[in-house]
Amino acid sequence: MNSNFFCFIRGLAMKAIRVHTFGGPEVLKVETDVPIPVHTESQVLIRVGSAGVNPVDTYIRMGLFAQLPTLPYIPGRDGAGTIEKIGSEVDNLKVGDRIFFSGASGSYAEYVACESHSVFRLADRLSFAQGAALGVPYFTAYRAIFIKGKAKAGDRVLVHGASGAVGLAACQIAKAHGMTVVGTAGTPQGMELVKNNGAHLVYNHREKGYLEQAAEAVGGDGFDVIIENASDINLGSDLTVIGPGARVVIVGNRGNVEISPRFLMTEEASIVGCALFRSTPEEWRQTAAAVVAGVEMGFLTPFIDKEYPMESVQEAHANVLSHEGGSRGKLVLTMT
């Protein structure tokens, strides 16, 4: 007897993680009587196999994000699974397709409704867990490199915090597009992972003088683009290794930092923020097309650090920020 029948006899209810008040990981509660969402004519209903756990999910949960949902809400923006139902206006997908999605609302659940323009077929070579690692990390990395960083083939790119999900995605994308890629990590295991995912050179950001060594290794004239995942820690020192017209793209930040604008003046460089939710429809289409093509061609492959059952969501949220032992790829929740 299939799962749809059980959903029917339970009154169209599903298991999901819900938040009733903003706060720490303890506010994440697994509930079994959550109504299955009703998809619109432009949406598809997805049976979620895995959902991505992203730092932004924790900022929203704590009430610290620019755009906050109405309480109670189901966290999660990306994931992978199988299409259960489609709206009458959807003509590019069909029931039964293996897909990944990004930009949905409420992926920490057995089912989610998502606009069809944010749903993409998942390559057979990738698991649902890997599919759940494509949305936020790879879309963010592409946006940071090309749309905000204006990078091009031949550029020297520094990825700070390269062993995390966005960092690894950035290394793979930059390498595939002909850039010289330098990554940083904080452990030998993280450094090896970065090296295996596209970086030409890798440095331990815990070692003194590593930035100067990195800049010298790529010619001594500074980096053209810096992808910064921990700007509150690194931004001041980043500005000492920028080249003429460089772009420092802020992807991650957890506090204030003091910098000297003189470095920017001297190199006529710029600091630019990167927020995936600011994507225009055209930027979204561009990003999605590039990521899907990269997956299909085989040069984009997510690395999964750990999979958690739904019941361990509090642990997953604690770990996605703590990075005990160093950040290494993506954390995901398994829904089945």
Side-chain angles (χ1 to χ4, degrees):
M1 194 172 294
N2 64 36
S3 61
N4 287 336
F5 178 79
F6 282 111
C7 288
F8 176 78
I9 65 175
R10 290 202 322 248
L12 296 179
M14 65 176 181
K15 185 163 65 171
I17 294 159
R18 290 216 289 183
V19 173
H20 291 266
T21 182
F22 296 116
E26 68 279 359
V27 304
L28 296 160
K29 305 295 184 182
V30 178
E31 300 179 5
T32 59
D33 58 351
V34 180
I36 292 177
V38 178
H39 65 291
T40 68
E41 299 309 316
S42 63
Q43 293 180 326
V44 298
L45 181 67
I46 300 165
R47 177 72 160 104
V48 182
S50 296
V53 179
N54 300 290
V56 68
D57 299 338
T58 68
Y59 306 147
I60 295 171
R61 185 206 72 225
M62 291 185 287
L64 302 177
F65 197 62
Q67 295 181 338
L68 294 176
T70 301
L71 295 169
Y73 77 98
I74 300 173
R77 296 187 170 199
D78 55 1
T82 306
I83 294 180
E84 292 279 320
K85 297 179 180 180
I86 62 173
S88 61
E89 298 174 5
V90 179
D91 57 9
N92 61 326
L93 299 163
K94 64 181 187 300
V95 172
D97 280 350
R98 296 177 75 250
I99 53 85
F100 74 94
F101 59 90
S102 185
S105 177
S107 64
Y108 288 19
E110 290 181 315
Y111 293 89
V112 66
C114 186
E115 293 293 334
S116 61
H117 62 71
S118 293
V119 180
F120 315 96
R121 287 187 178 85
L122 180 64
D124 290 339
R125 69 184 181 88
L126 298 186
S127 66
F128 284 150
Q130 289 174 305
L134 287 170
V136 171
Y138 281 80
F139 280 45
T140 298
Y142 182 91
R143 180 172 180 79
I145 292 169
F146 292 106
I147 296 176
K148 309 308 293 186
K150 311 295 183 185
K152 60 185 182 303
D155 277 354
R156 298 157 296 184
V157 178
L158 171 65
V159 182
H160 239 145
S163 61
V166 174
L168 291 175
C171 289
Q172 292 177 10
I173 292 170
K175 173 70 171 294
H177 287 82
M179 301 167 201
T180 299
V181 185
V182 177
T184 73
T187 66
Q189 296 84 358
M191 293 174 66
E192 183 67 18
L193 182 62
V194 174
K195 182 70 172 179
N196 291 338
N197 279 270
H200 296 90
L201 298 167
V202 186
Y203 292 87
N204 190 326
H205 60 67
R206 302 181 191 277
E207 295 182 356
K208 185 177 180 180
Y210 77 96
L211 268 183
E212 293 78 8
Q213 296 175 37
E216 188 64 30
V218 295
D221 298 324
F223 290 95
D224 300 298
V225 177
I226 297 179
I227 306 301
E228 184 50 75
N229 287 293
S231 56
D232 53 306
I233 298 172
N234 303 316
L235 185 57
S237 54
D238 285 342
L239 300 187
T240 67
V241 292
I242 53 177
R247 289 79 67 199
V248 182
V249 184
I250 306 301
V251 174
N253 180 72
R254 299 182 193 172
N256 298 325
V257 62
E258 182 176 327
I259 66 170
S260 173
R262 188 167 299 280
F263 291 110
L264 297 170
M265 296 165 57
T266 301
E267 300 296 348
E268 293 192 321
S270 59
I271 300 172
V272 60
C274 178
L276 186 58
F277 73 91
R278 293 293 187 188
S279 301
T280 66
E282 176 55 35
E283 289 170 344
W284 187 260
R285 287 190 292 269
Q286 174 187 339
T287 302
V291 172
V292 170
V295 171
E296 290 177 347
M297 294 180 68
F299 60 77
L300 299 184
T301 303
F303 176 85
I304 304 303
D305 183 18
K306 187 172 181 180
E307 299 181 47
Y308 297 83
M310 291 179 73
E311 290 70 20
S312 298
V313 62
Q314 295 182 8
E315 179 186 355
H317 264 231
N319 289 345
V320 78
L321 288 185
S322 69
H323 299 319
E324 293 183 6
S327 177
R328 290 190 345 113
K330 180 76 169 180
L331 305 183
V332 300
L333 292 174
T334 300
M335 300 301 165
T336 56

